[in-house]
Amino acid sequence: MSQDEAPPIAGDYDLSTPIPSTSGLRQGLTSYGDAHFSLFLRKVFVKALGYSEDALSRPIIGIINTYSGFNPCHGNVPQLIEATKRGIHLNGGLAVEFPTISVAESFSAPTSMFLRNLMSMDTEEMIRAQPLDACVMIGGCDKTVPAQLMGGISANKPILPLITGPMMPGSHRGKRIGACTDCRNNWAAFRAGEIDIEEISEINEELAPTIGTCGVMGTASTMACITAALGMMPLRGASAPAVSSARARVAEETGANAVRTAREKWKPQDILSKESFLNAIIVLQAIGGSTNAVVHLMAIANRHPKVQGVITLQTFEEVGRKTPLLVDLKPSGDNYMNDFHNAGGMLALLHTLRPLLYLSAKTITGQTLGEVLDASPFKEFPLSRQIIRPLSNPLYPTSSLVVLTGNIAPNGAVMKASASKDRSLLKHKGPAVVFANSADLAKRIDDPDLEVTKDSILVLQNIGPIGNPGMPEAGLLPIPRKLASQGVKDMLRISDGRMSGTAGGTIILHVSPESAVPESPFGIVQTGDIITCDVESRTLRLEISDEELKKRIEARVAATKVEKKPKQRGYRGLYERSVNQAQDGADFDFLTADGGERD
Ligand code: FES
């Protein structure tokens, strides 16, 4: 028995010697000024749950239970907990589940992103506070996986993400449909009068036919693939459907891995490196992943003291220039996550990407990524090559996601170029039609008198991290109804907000600094101004002189000094005071690796 494993019970109460361990039940004792009494009291209470000394002497593996009646994406969490416990107990650990908050996209006002940092704080603090030797973190819906990775990396105890998995696609009049790319396509068709109210009601019944996360390459699936690429979970854990038996086996395997990870004390800050993040970004580009993942990956990277400042927005651009889009899934392509899984999933993708990957990156298995791939060869078959293209025949040559800069986005903006529906808009010059905020957009976008043509550029301000706390996914501005009904399907749209990973179009997002910052050049764009976007040269420019730009900013700063906003209380106040900009991950400044000391 090692010194860190269970000492004799008597040792716990021997007042002449210090508590002999920093693991299991003996770690992180509540402060009463008498450590032996703290442990004695802890055992009194834990025994109320019926645990024996034998059970309590095992490595303690926490399981974060994020089941919620308001989170259908996590609807299988109870089954996953059962399977995870099986894996833990079969391998000599003790499973102890506990709750944290759970955040689902459609049930979180103002946005789930507003609550991501709160969930990361909950996750970090509960992992820190409780006597865990390792922790399985069950997440799935868009913001839960990044929140858990952010919190887990900051807590820096052994952590094992476990994803709930994608839902299955549904069927409408003989066509497969699935949340949520098809939610948006069909809603746009309904707005344009192409389908009627009866049909949209039928479609509503079929878009999410099972529990699980959105079944396309939206933010949830993107974060699942990225978590696997970071080396933090079994590769098939990224894509096994939520309702499959494979998903339960991934949970059992994660439980088994957790016991080993606890014994080996593999901490996330030791496993994750610059190379792990480069692999994650390669995968992000190759899957045509969600633009939201750029914000989340920046927040995750900036929690790691050795990676903060090493991975920047420009890293996404540099990696993108060398990485083709290979995965044919909606919204960039045509298929669904269960197709990706059946085609070989992340194992097939990583074998295909092998020449581009950093194979020395560590993984949660104790092996390097290269060793993991060597141990699991993949033999391709026709479906695998249809869904996961070879490097020689990509879906999109390079740079699925691009980073643009220019006088209205000096700190960058992001576009999923591969999801553009009208590629001519990737090089476009046109007059701006500016909406001051979401309410202004809702009021005027369908006004028949709105002066707008298909060549106009729709600009939405004040939906950035501070401007509309939580940075809503309102960046996919709807096509004005009068243009939609004429058949216009895509326009160039620019905002400082985000867009759902399931959405498509020629959309520029995350403009930084956001317009709510008084000095923001994006905040001074006016209706009628000419904007030029050139994706090839990665530029986004407002066609006014530097003097005019400066004059407008100075006038705006002076006006902002006069109007004072009321101070917000509670979490909202904390959010507004502490959130950083999109290019840094929209995290709280006091939570990043350089945000201060933490004992
Ligand atoms: Fe939860 Fe899409 S709404 S993953």
Side-chain angles (χ1 to χ4, degrees):
M1 181 182 294
S2 80
Q3 206 220 329
D4 279 340
E5 283 186 3
I9 298 166
D12 288 346
Y13 308 136
D14 179 354
L15 303 183
S16 63
T17 58
I19 301 282
S21 170
T22 54
S23 65
L25 209 61
R26 297 160 190 84
Q27 65 187 298
L29 291 168
T30 313
S31 299
Y32 295 121
D34 177 346
H36 290 88
F37 178 66
S38 297
L39 180 55
F40 173 75
L41 209 58
R42 176 174 283 175
K43 284 194 175 183
V44 167
F45 284 103
V46 78
K47 283 178 180 173
L49 291 167
Y51 293 116
S52 64
E53 284 286 346
D54 179 27
L56 295 172
S57 71
R58 310 301 173 113
I60 298 179
I61 313 299
I63 305 173
I64 297 182
N65 180 350
T66 50
Y67 179 82
S68 158
F70 287 110
N71 196 344
C73 310
H74 290 202
N76 59 344
V77 167
Q79 292 80 44
L80 295 184
I81 289 176
E82 193 189 321
T84 305
K85 282 184 175 172
R86 191 163 60 241
I88 293 169
H89 293 153
L90 283 171
N91 286 276
L94 173 65
V96 181
E97 70 180 83
F98 65 95
T100 68
I101 62 168
S102 187
V103 179
E105 279 308 292
S106 314
F107 299 90
S108 306
T111 68
S112 60
M113 183 66 172
F114 176 64
L115 298 169
R116 184 201 64 180
N117 297 350
L118 181 64
M119 185 171 176
S120 87
M121 289 168 76
D122 187 358
T123 305
E124 175 182 346
E125 295 305 327
M126 295 318 287
I127 292 175
R128 279 181 186 277
Q130 299 175 134
L132 313 170
D133 295 308
C135 189
V136 176
M137 310 186 300
I138 306 183
C141 193
D142 293 14
K143 308 306 177 293
T144 60
V145 175
Q148 291 179 329
L149 282 169
M150 290 157 70
I153 291 170
S154 292
N156 204 28
K157 280 188 186 177
I159 52 163
L160 298 97
L162 171 60
I163 306 285
T164 55
M167 64 177 69
M168 298 300 288
S171 174
H172 172 66
R173 300 187 184 176
K175 251 179 74 184
R176 289 197 304 167
I177 54 172
C180 220
T181 303
D182 300 325
C183 311
R184 294 170 202 287
N185 296 342
N186 284 294
W187 188 252
F190 174 61
R191 273 178 62 82
E194 291 165 13
I195 57 179
D196 60 23
I197 202 160
E198 282 76 29
E199 184 167 0
I200 197 75
S201 306
E202 277 176 38
I203 289 169
N204 187 268
E205 300 277 329
E206 273 297 309
L207 281 164
T210 72
I211 53 165
T213 55
C214 289
V216 296
M217 194 51 84
T219 305
S221 301
T222 302
M223 291 311 302
C225 294
I226 280 176
T227 305
L230 283 170
M232 295 300 287
M233 69 177 192
L235 295 180
R236 71 185 193 290
S239 58
V243 292
S244 66
S245 56
R247 177 57 54 188
R249 283 191 287 276
V250 170
E252 186 181 306
E253 183 180 341
T254 304
N257 287 346
V259 179
R260 190 165 45 142
T261 307
R263 289 202 166 109
E264 301 289 344
K265 299 191 188 313
W266 287 328
K267 297 179 180 169
Q269 290 184 18
D270 298 328
I271 295 171
L272 295 169
S273 61
K274 175 185 169 189
E275 287 71 27
S276 325
F277 282 89
L278 290 172
N279 287 337
I281 298 170
I282 291 168
V283 164
L284 171 65
Q285 294 281 5
I287 61 179
S290 164
T291 46
N292 283 323
V294 178
V295 182
H296 296 320
L297 259 176
M298 285 310 305
I300 295 164
N302 286 339
R303 292 294 187 99
H304 191 313
K306 293 201 194 105
V307 181
Q308 186 177 30
V310 176
I311 298 292
T312 68
L313 205 52
Q314 275 314 314
T315 314
F316 291 78
E317 176 56 34
E318 287 155 20
V319 169
R321 286 182 184 272
K322 293 178 245 162
T323 312
L325 170 61
L326 300 180
V327 176
D328 188 355
L329 252 59
K330 291 186 177 209
S332 292
D334 282 330
N335 299 292
Y336 295 89
M337 274 304 280
N338 68 315
D339 299 316
F340 179 57
H341 184 68
N342 293 339
M346 284 296 292
L347 183 66
L349 178 65
L350 295 187
H351 272 290
T352 309
L353 286 170
R354 192 174 176 127
L356 304 179
L357 293 170
Y358 295 82
L359 297 170
S360 62
K362 292 182 190 167
T363 74
I364 196 81
T365 62
Q367 298 171 299
T368 64
L369 181 63
E371 288 165 346
V372 169
L373 294 180
D374 288 343
S376 318
F378 180 75
K379 209 165 161 12
E380 65 185 58
F381 45 90
L383 178 72
S384 68
R385 275 300 167 240
Q386 187 187 322
I387 305 289
I388 302 164
R389 303 276 193 92
L391 287 171
S392 56
N393 179 28
L395 202 63
Y396 196 76
T398 52
S399 300
S400 164
L401 293 171
V402 297
V403 176
L404 307 171
T405 52
N407 61 355
I408 48 171
N411 295 338
V414 171
M415 176 198 256
K416 190 196 274 194
S418 60
S420 168
K421 291 183 183 162
D422 177 354
R423 298 268 154 99
S424 71
L425 293 170
L426 297 179
K427 186 179 173 85
H428 185 69
K429 186 174 189 171
V433 176
V434 178
F435 300 92
N437 49 46
S438 307
D440 185 31
L441 175 77
K443 200 163 105 199
R444 295 195 294 126
I445 189 74
D446 288 333
D447 182 343
D449 295 329
L450 182 71
E451 288 193 22
V452 65
T453 72
K454 67 176 181 37
D455 296 323
S456 302
I457 297 176
L458 303 180
V459 173
L460 177 55
Q461 296 166 329
N462 282 304
I463 60 163
I466 302 170
N468 193 333
M471 212 184 165
E473 290 184 339
L476 180 78
L477 283 73
I479 304 291
R481 194 178 290 156
K482 69 177 181 188
L483 296 179
S485 59
Q486 292 163 23
V488 177
K489 299 268 187 250
D490 198 6
M491 293 174 72
L492 184 60
R493 290 160 269 182
I494 309 175
S495 76
D496 45 14
R498 296 177 299 115
M499 170 178 88
S500 165
T502 60
T506 313
I507 318 284
I508 297 172
L509 303 151
H510 314 172
V511 172
S512 181
E514 63 171 299
S515 50
V517 174
E519 298 80 9
S520 162
F522 185 58
I524 57 90
V525 180
Q526 298 169 359
T527 292
D529 284 346
I530 301 297
I531 295 176
T532 305
C533 165
D534 182 4
V535 169
E536 200 177 324
S537 63
R538 306 291 195 264
T539 51
L540 178 64
R541 237 196 95 70
L542 183 65
E543 299 297 346
I544 61 174
S545 67
D546 291 349
E547 293 72 44
E548 173 66 11
L549 186 77
K550 194 163 162 251
K551 211 170 86 193
R552 287 196 202 174
I553 291 174
E554 283 169 357
R556 190 159 181 263
V557 170
T560 313
K561 278 188 188 144
V562 178
E563 68 176 67
K564 266 206 145 166
K565 275 175 71 183
K567 190 174 161 197
Q568 298 282 330
R569 62 167 290 285
Y571 179 69
R572 167 90 184 231
L574 178 72
Y575 191 101
E576 285 189 19
R577 285 193 300 279
S578 311
V579 73
N580 61 27
Q581 288 289 286
Q583 88 266 9
D584 295 318
D587 196 3
F588 292 159
D589 52 13
F590 61 87
L591 292 175
T592 58
D594 64 357
E597 294 297 316
R598 179 71 199 261
D599 294 330

